[in-house]
Amino acid sequence: MDDKTNKKIENENCDNLNNNIPLISSGRTSRDLNMNKKSTMKKTPENVKDKNIRLIKEGYITVIAGPCAIESREQLDIIASIVKESGLNFLRAGAYKPRTSPYSFQGLEHQGLEILQEVADKYGLYSTTEVTDAETVEEVAKYVDILQIGTRNMSNFALLKKVGIVANEYNRKVILKRGWASTIKEWLLAAEYITSKGDAELILCERGIRTFEPYTRFTLDLSAVPVIKKLSRLPIIIDPSHAVGQSDLVIPMSRAAIAVGADGLIVEIHNQPEKALCDGQQALDIKQTREMLLQVKGIAALLGKRIR
């Protein structure tokens, strides 16, 4: 492989399947929000976490926010402070990153777990990260509050069973993302592999499915929300970031998700999306994050719910 080709692959965004689609500029800026300063928030009694908290709570819309990948302790600290100051309680961040290209950033792995635990505890936030294989489930469970199973692993039955056992043993919650080519029936049956191993809180996550439409990264199937509520008692949240793959489309799809009845959102945010090592094109900057929360709060209020 020549240097020019290698450089192109190394700079590829996380699983960006639509490299030929021009991304729309959102006029991101972090200057007015002083994002270059590391937060000095100290751990206080208010930041102590309740290990028995429910991820989904009646009368509330749960918003989980954070970067696609943990890049450094300073980066995650800044973003966690934004999540906390926004009144949210849940922080997402990837330590192990399954990538389409072997030349792309693979995450900080175990070091990332240590950073995530440290930063989440500092701000009293509940952390979630993806588990990628059965061998590391227990390792991840020792550091985070919520185990996330990504779209690639929805049909990894050995992993599903292991997550069910470990989540029950460590009192962890589980988010199960829908496979990008999976039916709702297949998704619900995959969930059974987890619930059959214990009574850990399980939340389904619709993150878009692959269709013939190339403009967005995937097609967000919002009809899955009422269908899941019809067929199951499991709560369901929406991941608009991975579904659309473009930051300017995340806010309108977030509004739509709440309006259709989703129990929450999991959204990618970054203090400097243009410098992100993974999926920067779909991450909301700080101004967009605040606007998203403002609009989602308005729709939630119409439904008699609040944001948490």
Side-chain angles (χ1 to χ4, degrees):
M1 182 179 293
D2 60 40
D3 292 340
K4 183 177 180 180
T5 303
N6 196 40
K7 183 177 180 181
K8 180 180 179 181
I9 293 176
E10 289 178 343
N11 290 334
E12 181 183 47
N13 277 321
C14 225
D15 303 330
N16 189 354
L17 304 178
N18 299 299
N19 290 326
N20 295 324
I21 298 173
L23 300 182
I24 301 171
S25 173
S26 59
R28 294 185 174 100
T29 176
S30 59
R31 184 172 51 199
D32 59 323
L33 296 160
N34 209 17
M35 288 298 100
N36 291 324
K37 291 186 178 180
K38 188 174 181 179
S39 173
T40 57
M41 180 183 286
K42 296 180 180 180
K43 190 171 183 179
T44 63
E46 307 91 76
N47 291 339
V48 176
K49 297 190 288 186
D50 175 10
K51 290 296 182 182
N52 293 316
I53 193 173
R54 301 286 293 180
L55 179 54
I56 302 301
K57 185 177 180 181
E58 184 69 27
Y60 288 85
I61 300 295
T62 299
V63 179
I64 308 168
C68 174
I70 301 163
E71 300 165 11
S72 67
R73 180 174 280 100
E74 181 177 15
Q75 168 246 17
L76 190 62
D77 190 279
I78 291 171
I79 296 173
S81 70
I82 295 161
V83 172
K84 184 71 175 182
E85 290 162 7
S86 298
L88 305 180
N89 298 290
F90 299 92
L91 174 68
R92 60 146 295 148
Y96 291 90
K97 297 301 300 178
R99 305 298 296 275
T100 298
S101 170
Y103 305 104
S104 299
F105 177 59
Q106 302 291 317
L108 297 182
E109 300 183 336
H110 185 80
Q111 181 188 5
L113 293 176
E114 294 177 338
I115 293 172
L116 179 55
Q117 182 185 56
E118 175 188 326
V119 173
D121 286 349
K122 175 181 177 181
Y123 292 99
L125 298 171
Y126 300 90
S127 58
T128 180
T129 198
E130 184 173 350
V131 289
T132 56
D133 55 69
E135 289 72 25
T136 57
V137 173
E138 194 162 359
E139 174 197 3
V140 174
K142 293 176 181 178
Y143 288 88
V144 303
D145 303 293
I146 306 159
L147 304 175
Q148 177 182 307
I149 300 170
T151 185
R152 290 176 177 82
N153 279 313
M154 192 212 79
S155 296
N156 184 340
F157 304 124
L159 174 61
L160 299 180
K161 289 186 282 188
K162 183 69 173 182
V163 166
I165 294 169
V166 172
N168 194 57
E169 179 182 350
Y170 284 84
N171 189 27
R172 298 295 186 252
K173 296 113 181 61
V174 180
I175 294 174
L176 176 62
K177 288 194 170 186
R178 181 182 182 180
W180 63 36
S182 299
T183 66
I184 288 177
K185 180 179 180 181
E186 290 167 340
W187 189 16
L188 288 173
L189 288 173
E192 291 289 328
Y193 277 94
I194 300 170
T195 58
S196 66
K197 298 299 180 181
D199 58 359
E201 183 184 8
L202 175 63
I203 298 92
L204 300 178
C205 178
E206 165 61 42
R207 46 82 64 213
I209 54 176
R210 183 171 289 176
T211 68
F212 56 81
E213 175 52 60
Y215 187 79
T216 52
R217 187 171 180 179
F218 294 92
T219 297
L220 183 55
D221 182 12
L222 289 178
S223 67
V225 175
V227 171
I228 288 295
K229 290 182 177 294
K230 178 181 179 180
L231 300 177
S232 168
R233 295 183 179 180
L234 293 173
I236 177 171
I237 63 176
I238 298 293
D239 178 352
S241 302
H242 282 93
V244 297
Q246 302 173 45
S247 62
D248 62 304
L249 300 180
V250 170
I251 294 178
M253 297 314 294
S254 296
R255 295 196 308 261
I258 303 309
V260 81
D263 297 296
L265 300 167
I266 181 166
V267 182
E268 289 188 1
I269 70 172
H270 200 287
N271 57 308
Q272 294 180 305
E274 68 282 356
K275 295 183 178 180
L277 298 180
C278 179
D279 281 353
Q281 79 283 354
Q282 67 192 34
L284 299 179
D285 64 20
I286 312 310
K287 182 178 180 181
Q288 289 173 313
T289 299
R290 292 176 174 173
E291 181 61 28
M292 181 271 293
L293 290 173
L294 181 65
Q295 294 189 26
V296 167
K297 283 178 182 178
I299 295 177
L302 293 174
L303 300 174
K305 296 184 178 183
R306 299 167 61 188
I307 299 297
R308 67 194 285 258

